[in-house]
């Protein structure tokens, strides 16, 4: 299961969430920070995805 990395612009912390691709596709625009519950978060591209996304 892939791990998605996020960066919170509010509290300036990084966090990781492990979830299925389908779950990520559904919730990627509503992802909230684990630390402060802000939705002002930015996606960090992981090495895992950088490899797999070349196929498409
Ligand atoms: Zn935060």
């Amino acid at each position: 299961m892939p791990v998605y990395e996020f960066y919170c612009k509010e509290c300036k912390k990084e966090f990781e969430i492990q979830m299925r691709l389908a779950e990520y596709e559904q919730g990627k625009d509503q992802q909230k920070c684990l630390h402060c519950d802000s939705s002002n978060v930015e996606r960090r591209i992981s090495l895992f995805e950088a490899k797999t996304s070349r196929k498409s």
Side-chain angles (χ1 to χ4, degrees):
M1 199 179 292
V3 174
Y4 298 94
E5 296 180 16
F6 295 88
Y7 172 75
C8 175
K9 296 176 185 174
E10 291 294 327
C11 65
K12 302 189 182 350
K13 289 180 182 174
E14 295 180 359
F15 58 97
E16 297 180 344
I17 297 179
Q18 189 179 54
M19 57 185 160
R20 293 189 181 90
L21 181 61
E23 291 174 321
Y24 169 70
E25 290 295 334
Q26 284 181 346
K28 61 184 173 184
D29 295 328
Q30 311 144 29
Q31 192 60 60
K32 288 186 177 177
C33 174
L34 296 181
H35 303 287
C36 69
D37 207 37
S38 169
S39 57
N40 190 14
V41 298
E42 186 178 81
R43 177 69 206 288
R44 285 278 168 92
I45 305 297
S46 66
L47 291 176
F48 178 84
E49 182 166 11
K51 286 181 187 171
T52 56
S53 62
R54 282 185 193 168
K55 292 179 189 171
S56 57

